[in-house]
Amino acid sequence: MRGFVYLIVFFSFFDLFSQLPVMSPFALSLGASPFLIGLAVGLYSFSNTIGNIISGFMTDKKGPFMILLVGLFAAALSLFLYSFASGPLSLLGVRFVHGFMEGLIVPAAFTFLANRAEGSKRGKSVAISGAFVGLAAIVGPAYGGIVAAKTSTPFIMAVNGGIMLVLAIAAFFVLRSFTYVPKDSTAQGQKFKVRYLFQHPGMVRAFAGAFFLMFSQGVLALVLPLKVAALGFDTKTSGLLLSTFGVIAILIFLLPVNRIFDRVRPMVTLAFGISLMGLAMLFLSQIEQLNYLYIAMAIYGAGFAFLFPSINSLLIDSSSAEFRGKAYGYFYAFFSIGVVAGSSVIGFLDLTYKGGFMLTGIILLAVALYALLGMKKNRSIDKSSQVG
């Protein structure tokens, strides 16, 4: 059952990553202006954020199985709509629907996994799910670029829609044995207020980690190809560099080293991971030799591998089953916002690739320092309360 949910996670992110190399050219082929091309790309993340939040609330109310089923069927149907996009405006409508429907899936899937994970193995569990996300990040763009060159973007989306439809039908039979038991009306979920999510220190750090993780991804997507081109290399080199970070992350997720996520406090691995990512960004801002670029991306991949399970573990530890769906809804909303913010901020500031990487590295190191200081502060509070 868990293996099947991992498969859903993989194909949800596979669908996302397979769009990256094809959506801008497709919008251009429909006559979109540069502004509408950017809007078509960004609108998916915007509506995905709305879908994430609604999914979180509905998952807590109806259970993850029902929301997963609805999300898979609806996402499948929305993917077939790309064949009917005849101009920029119709494409914008399809992008909004697709992003919203896809946004229903991931919070429900991760809530399902979190609720069924043993407490002592929750770090290893989220590391395995992270491996499927990393694998999708490697395979998705390559699949999208290669297949689009031989067929068309609507064909790619139709294939993705067919896969989603098969998953939806299979989910009905495989996951329906998981029965959702509504919580008692006097339970914590009944008294839950959304503001709790933004007042709990662990939850805030999980949200911040999600945001800055994807902020850095947005910067990489925008700046790395520019730097690679400026150094005289082709787009294939950019793809190989991005694949390098994914391969390193997957190795850490799946090898026995993943036990560290159950043995070390998530705040420690969070600070370590985001520090590695920050150092990699500073390294990328200074180097120009291709071999060193691969080393920098390997360091970034290691940081990504430590950060992703850490923020998931923080979220699980900071939430109970009664409102975990809402927590994951906002968590993945911050994922979507982070990607848009990363590329938008660097683009707005009109920085060189050196300045963009350097600013991002400084921001990530500052976040790591804040996390460590917060951890020391919490220890001081705990000691004073014990003395009292």
Side-chain angles (χ1 to χ4, degrees):
M1 194 177 293
R2 290 179 61 81
F4 183 75
V5 179
Y6 286 136
L7 195 63
I8 292 175
V9 169
F10 169 77
F11 278 109
S12 295
F13 281 94
F14 176 83
D15 177 44
L16 167 64
F17 289 118
S18 65
Q19 303 170 34
L20 296 182
V22 302
M23 197 47 59
S24 295
F26 180 56
L28 183 63
S29 71
L30 294 178
S33 64
F35 171 74
L36 289 178
I37 292 173
L39 190 59
V41 173
L43 196 59
Y44 176 93
S45 295
F46 173 74
S47 63
N48 193 259
T49 301
I50 300 172
N52 288 154
I53 295 172
I54 291 177
S55 173
F57 279 84
M58 295 304 294
T59 295
D60 286 337
K61 188 175 182 180
K62 301 292 184 180
F65 168 70
M66 183 59 67
I67 306 306
L68 261 180
L69 206 60
V70 171
L72 286 168
F73 271 113
L77 294 176
S78 68
L79 281 160
F80 289 112
L81 294 177
Y82 282 91
S83 299
F84 301 97
S86 57
L89 294 181
S90 60
L91 177 62
L92 291 178
V94 173
R95 292 291 287 168
F96 184 89
V97 173
H98 179 199
F100 178 82
M101 297 306 178
E102 197 87 37
L104 299 176
I105 299 172
V106 174
F110 275 89
T111 300
F112 185 98
L113 292 171
N115 288 349
R116 297 180 68 82
E118 296 177 37
S120 61
K121 296 181 179 179
R122 53 96 173 95
K124 183 178 178 180
S125 174
V126 294
I128 293 172
S129 64
F132 281 95
V133 175
L135 184 62
I138 295 172
V139 178
Y143 159 79
I146 293 171
V147 177
K150 297 182 177 181
T151 56
S152 64
T153 297
F155 177 81
I156 291 173
M157 297 304 177
V159 171
N160 290 356
I163 294 171
M164 287 288 185
L165 194 57
V166 171
L167 285 175
I169 295 170
F172 177 77
F173 295 102
V174 176
L175 300 180
R176 64 177 176 176
S177 60
F178 174 74
T179 54
Y180 174 68
V181 181
K183 306 298 183 294
D184 183 61
S185 59
T186 60
Q188 183 180 359
Q190 189 72 15
K191 301 175 183 178
F192 173 80
K193 302 294 183 185
V194 171
R195 66 173 177 270
Y196 169 82
L197 295 176
F198 300 93
Q199 292 174 343
H200 191 287
M203 200 75 72
V204 170
R205 291 188 179 100
F207 291 162
F211 176 84
F212 286 107
L213 172 67
M214 298 312 290
F215 182 95
S216 69
Q217 287 280 289
V219 173
L220 271 180
L222 175 67
V223 181
L224 184 63
L226 298 178
K227 173 156 188 166
V228 169
L231 294 176
F233 301 106
D234 58 16
T235 54
K236 183 175 70 174
T237 303
S238 297
L240 289 173
L241 285 167
L242 290 170
S243 295
T244 299
F245 109 74
V247 170
I248 296 298
I250 289 174
L251 288 175
I252 295 175
F253 284 143
L254 294 181
L255 291 175
V257 71
N258 65 18
R259 295 170 186 164
I260 194 173
F261 301 117
D262 291 319
R263 297 177 180 175
V264 178
R265 292 178 62 187
M267 282 302 300
V268 175
T269 50
L270 182 153
F272 179 68
I274 206 165
S275 295
L276 284 180
M277 291 168 64
L279 291 173
M281 288 289 182
L282 293 180
F283 196 22
L284 284 169
S285 73
Q286 300 299 317
I287 56 178
E288 296 188 352
Q289 292 80 13
L290 185 59
N291 290 340
Y292 289 136
L293 288 176
Y294 279 107
I295 292 172
M297 291 306 295
I299 295 171
Y300 180 88
F304 180 97
F306 274 90
L307 181 57
F308 185 82
S310 302
I311 54 182
N312 273 277
S313 295
L314 270 174
L315 185 141
I316 294 171
D317 293 346
S318 304
S319 62
S320 64
E322 289 83 2
F323 60 88
R324 189 162 290 140
K326 299 181 185 70
Y328 265 115
Y330 281 101
F331 181 78
Y332 280 99
F334 277 101
F335 259 68
S336 299
I337 296 169
V339 176
V340 178
S343 56
S344 300
V345 168
I346 299 302
F348 176 77
L349 294 176
D350 197 22
L351 297 173
T352 62
Y353 55 76
K354 182 176 182 179
F357 280 133
M358 186 171 292
L359 176 62
T360 307
I362 293 171
I363 290 172
L364 293 178
L365 290 174
V367 173
L369 181 61
Y370 172 77
L372 288 173
L373 292 175
M375 189 169 59
K376 290 182 179 179
K377 182 179 178 182
N378 289 340
R379 283 181 179 176
S380 301
I381 294 173
D382 291 340
K383 288 181 180 179
S384 63
S385 62
Q386 290 173 3
V387 172

